[in-house]
Amino acid sequence: MASSPDSSEPAPSPSTSPQTEKPPIEPIRLPTVEEIKGQDIWNNCAVRSVVSGVMGGGLGLFMGLFLGALDNPLMQEEMSAKQQFIYTAKQMGRRSFSSAKTFAVMGVIFSAAECIVEKGRAKHDTTNTVVAGCVTGGALSAKGGPKAACMGCAGFATFSVLIEKFLDRHD
Amino acid sequence: MQIMGMMEKEMEYRVEMFNKLTQTCFDKCIEKRHKESELNMGENSCIDRCVSKYWQVTNLVGQLLGSNRPPM
């Protein structure tokens, strides 16, 4: 039936000519038990969305810090330098925290939606990204009413497709 | 003696079924243009479903062949 996991015959390595040094061909290895377990863990929708949420939170933290540092206080002439510094620091902290929350929620929703859609369709496509982007955009802008939700859906779907194409550009 | 022959036939049958199963599910589930070396989630669930359905079909067809001796 299936070949035993340890049957790996080393393929003959090519003779190294003085001009070209090819890397040695590695023998075929069946995946080990740890690799299979690792793949199973990564294929779990809950684990994936939590990891995406944490990464989104980290990204939002840094973005919020950066954008908060650029924010100028309103009463610039009346405050001394130290007061301005404290105000800017507090602003940075507040901004980064709220930004981290937003990005974390965005990451969780997007990853969970994409995972569920891909598992349901049993296909790896851009349609998964479009649907997941639409759900995320709609969920994030649902407070503004149905029209805002539609715009958010379309915008975020386009954005995520572009990002996906950019990340897979080396073909 | 006959038992050895039967076991051989059984083994050959199982090997044949395994080969056909992997060939069918590979052709059905995995794109011709391989973009990466790891199985992604869609392909993984496709292969799960393919194997399950193939196995059920095999069992069902076997039962139908075994029970109804005269042709329908």
Side-chain angles (χ1 to χ4, degrees), chain A residues 103-161:
Chain A
F103 273 78
V105 163
M106 197 168 78
V108 165
I109 295 181
F110 183 80
S111 179
E114 191 181 26
C115 176
I116 290 175
V117 165
E118 177 157 357
K119 271 203 174 166
R121 288 181 72 225
K123 249 174 129 175
H124 189 76
D125 243 345
T126 43
T127 316
N128 307 333
T129 318
V130 167
V131 170
C134 183
V135 165
T136 310
L140 286 179
S141 6
K143 289 179 195 142
K147 193 163 177 187
C150 282
M151 300 284 291
C153 156
F156 203 83
T158 318
F159 170 69
S160 32
V161 164

Side-chain angles (χ1 to χ4, degrees), chain A residues 14-73:
Chain A
S15 56
T16 57
S17 57
Q19 290 91 14
T20 53
E21 278 272 345
K22 293 186 198 159
I25 301 177
E26 293 186 5
I28 297 179
R29 288 175 295 115
L30 290 181
T32 63
V33 180
E34 291 90 18
E35 279 180 20
I36 296 182
K37 274 190 201 158
Q39 276 189 15
D40 277 341
I41 290 179
W42 186 240
N43 278 349
N44 190 6
C45 274
V47 167
R48 259 176 103 124
S49 39
V50 163
V51 167
S52 282
V54 165
M55 290 200 318
L59 177 72
L61 203 72
F62 281 114
M63 262 191 58
L65 272 175
F66 183 64
L67 290 177
L70 297 176
D71 211 10
N72 282 329

Side-chain angles (χ1 to χ4, degrees), chain A residues 1-3 39-40 42-45 48 114-116 118-125 171, chain B residues 11 14-15 18-19 29 31 33-36 38-47 49:
Chain A
M1 279 248 272
S3 54
Q39 276 189 15
D40 277 341
W42 186 240
N43 278 349
N44 190 6
C45 274
R48 259 176 103 124
E114 191 181 26
C115 176
I116 290 175
E118 177 157 357
K119 271 203 174 166
R121 288 181 72 225
K123 249 174 129 175
H124 189 76
D125 243 345
D171 240 336
Chain B
M11 191 67 179
R14 285 196 178 275
V15 166
F18 174 77
N19 287 338
C29 283
E31 284 177 39
R33 191 158 170 249
H34 302 303
K35 294 199 178 134
E36 52 180 2
E38 300 288 331
L39 280 178
N40 44 40
M41 261 190 326
E43 289 167 352
N44 213 335
S45 66
C46 178
I47 289 181
R49 293 177 188 177

Side-chain angles (χ1 to χ4, degrees), chain B:
Chain B
M1 266 330 204
Q2 279 178 340
I3 298 181
M4 281 301 292
M6 270 178 60
M7 278 172 59
E8 273 185 33
K9 285 262 185 282
E10 171 86 9
M11 191 67 179
E12 283 179 13
Y13 163 74
R14 285 196 178 275
V15 166
E16 182 69 27
M17 190 174 81
F18 174 77
N19 287 338
K20 276 207 182 138
L21 169 63
T22 41
Q23 189 67 42
T24 306
C25 290
F26 187 86
D27 289 337
K28 197 170 186 52
C29 283
I30 301 186
E31 284 177 39
K32 287 303 158 198
R33 191 158 170 249
H34 302 303
K35 294 199 178 134
E36 52 180 2
S37 72
E38 300 288 331
L39 280 178
N40 44 40
M41 261 190 326
E43 289 167 352
N44 213 335
S45 66
C46 178
I47 289 181
D48 281 342
R49 293 177 188 177
C50 175
V51 169
S52 170
K53 283 193 176 172
Y54 198 96
W55 188 245
Q56 288 181 32
V57 164
T58 308
N59 283 343
L60 188 56
V61 169
Q63 281 178 22
L64 287 174
L65 268 181
S67 62
N68 276 349
R69 275 298 162 173
M72 284 200 279

